[in-house]
Amino acid sequence: MKSNAQILWVGMENPIESTGDGHIPGWDDSWVLHWIACPRKALSAARLPDLVVIDVPVMETLVEDVIRQFRDSAPVVPVLVHNEFATVAEVVSYVRAGAADVAGPGSDLADLIRQQLGKPLHKIPRKLPPATPSGASFSVRKSYPAVRHLEAAAG
């Protein structure tokens, strides 16, 4: 895993300020977090991050549109979606839009970040086929039996 990984956090709430003590449990101290509330400003960021985390809800647009825009402008940068209240339909929609993974109910976001940062760039899918939500992590598949059912049907 890359040390000093640059993580771009896109969402309405700054994750460091929201914890109260400035530390996010489970996160590596070497990760450098850049928070931007507005997706349009995030897309125009000068430096390419190592990972993008989209924290739902986002301002002024649909999450799927933000995912597609990041995947189109920087296809080698994995995009994770953090939605603690995601439905099965939302998880499938995010993955179809090109999210590398989704941290839904019961998921460990820090672990998913570690997994994505540890992947070689050439193994990160540019875009998943519309009918195959297989980019979802084990935790998403475990949390959502419907995703496992879709994977079995596609497979």
Side-chain angles (χ1 to χ4, degrees):
M1 176 175 31
K2 183 177 179 178
S3 62
N4 298 324
Q6 303 291 313
I7 299 173
L8 179 60
W9 184 279
V10 181
M12 295 173 57
E13 187 173 295
N14 184 330
I16 294 174
E17 290 177 3
S18 68
T19 63
D21 65 357
H23 179 73
I24 301 173
W27 285 47
D28 290 357
D29 292 332
S30 67
W31 295 347
V32 180
L33 185 71
H34 303 278
W35 169 66
I36 299 180
C38 179
R40 281 183 284 158
K41 289 181 182 176
L43 287 164
S44 63
R47 187 169 191 272
L48 197 62
D50 297 302
L51 177 74
V52 174
V53 177
I54 300 173
D55 188 32
V56 177
V58 292
M59 294 172 43
E60 305 171 0
T61 189
L62 296 173
V63 174
E64 292 85 351
D65 291 340
V66 178
I67 296 168
R68 284 185 201 96
Q69 290 169 351
F70 272 111
R71 297 303 292 195
D72 290 345
S73 64
V76 297
V77 177
V79 177
L80 296 180
V81 177
H82 179 239
N83 183 349
E84 294 178 1
F85 306 102
T87 64
V88 173
E90 288 171 324
V91 170
V92 171
S93 180
Y94 300 152
V95 172
R96 285 183 178 167
D101 213 333
V102 179
S107 295
D108 182 347
L109 179 60
D111 187 50
L112 295 178
I113 290 172
R114 276 186 206 89
Q115 289 175 25
Q116 291 302 318
L117 291 174
K119 287 184 179 181
L121 291 179
H122 68 279
K123 290 193 175 181
I124 297 170
R126 291 191 73 168
K127 193 165 189 173
L128 295 172
T132 312
S134 60
S137 72
F138 173 75
S139 60
V140 170
R141 291 191 304 269
K142 182 177 156 191
S143 301
Y144 296 101
V147 173
R148 287 197 311 268
H149 175 72
L150 288 170
E151 287 179 329

